[in-house]
Amino acid sequence: MMIAKDIISREAGFHGLVPYRNVGSDMPAVSVLPRLLDSPDQRLGVKDGDELLGVIDRDSMLEGIGRMIAARDDCSVITVECAPGDYSASRIAHAVEDTDAHLVDLWSVPADGGKVRVTLRVRRDDPSVTVHSLERYGYDVVSAYGNDYGDSEAAALRLLELKTLLSV
């Protein structure tokens, strides 16, 4: 788990300006981010007791989040929406694993209309099978991106056109 003291800006010094707000050095990064966004001067002091260890600014926060999310070329990103009562991380993971894919990351946020929006990173180049599984589980798929997804969608469209032509 990344904490506040791991995100301190690499810039030397505080430029003589004491940050308007402070956080504890052991505060998790996911708790630091909303405080940074709400800070009037867009900086947070990082304190260990009474000692100011350094400052977190937007650049250092972005760098920290970048270190938390490992770069992967073998993943697809799928976004789904559901009612809050239908949200279950374990159920979503089950829908993903039913397709022999692996859930790498999951982020959830409130969405319009009182829904929950969940973004998944799934270890699979072509997310189409996983998309269909999530739909079978009752999730509304908002978007899907994968390295091979465009090719599979084009192939599915060509197959549908062929079926129509053959009246099958």
Side-chain angles (χ1 to χ4, degrees):
M1 171 177 68
M2 185 169 290
I3 58 176
K5 69 180 176 183
D6 299 330
I7 311 170
I8 293 174
S9 177
R10 299 187 193 279
E11 275 189 39
F14 307 139
H15 304 292
L17 300 172
V18 178
Y20 183 75
R21 293 186 180 153
N22 298 302
V23 296
S25 62
D26 60 347
M27 180 178 279
V30 296
S31 297
V32 171
L33 180 58
R35 287 171 174 79
L36 178 63
L37 294 174
D38 288 340
S39 178
D41 61 353
Q42 299 180 356
R43 299 177 329 131
L44 293 172
V46 178
K47 285 192 162 189
D48 188 10
D50 289 335
E51 180 187 357
L52 183 62
L53 301 177
V55 174
I56 296 174
D57 57 18
R58 286 179 182 242
D59 288 342
S60 62
M61 188 66 183
L62 183 59
E63 183 180 320
I65 290 172
R67 288 193 310 267
M68 287 174 47
I69 303 171
R72 299 190 66 106
D73 292 333
D74 61 344
C75 288
S76 298
V77 177
I78 303 169
T79 302
V80 300
E81 284 187 353
C82 63
D86 295 334
Y87 172 73
S88 167
S90 62
R91 190 163 182 253
I92 290 171
H94 191 69
V96 169
E97 291 167 0
D98 275 355
T99 65
D100 291 326
H102 300 282
L103 184 60
V104 177
D105 296 304
L106 179 147
W107 301 278
S108 62
V109 297
D112 293 337
K115 292 186 174 189
V116 176
R117 179 170 283 198
V118 185
T119 301
L120 316 167
R121 197 159 56 145
V122 176
R123 191 174 305 146
R124 174 177 286 262
D125 285 336
D126 178 1
S128 57
V129 174
T130 307
V131 164
H132 295 302
S133 179
L134 288 160
E135 290 172 337
R136 279 193 314 274
Y137 274 73
Y139 294 100
D140 296 325
V141 176
V142 175
S143 65
Y145 169 81
N147 294 331
D148 294 341
Y149 192 49
D151 294 339
S152 67
E153 287 295 304
L157 183 58
R158 285 193 298 270
L159 183 58
L160 180 62
E161 289 171 348
L162 180 60
K163 285 181 178 180
T164 303
L165 181 67
L166 297 175
S167 299
V168 176

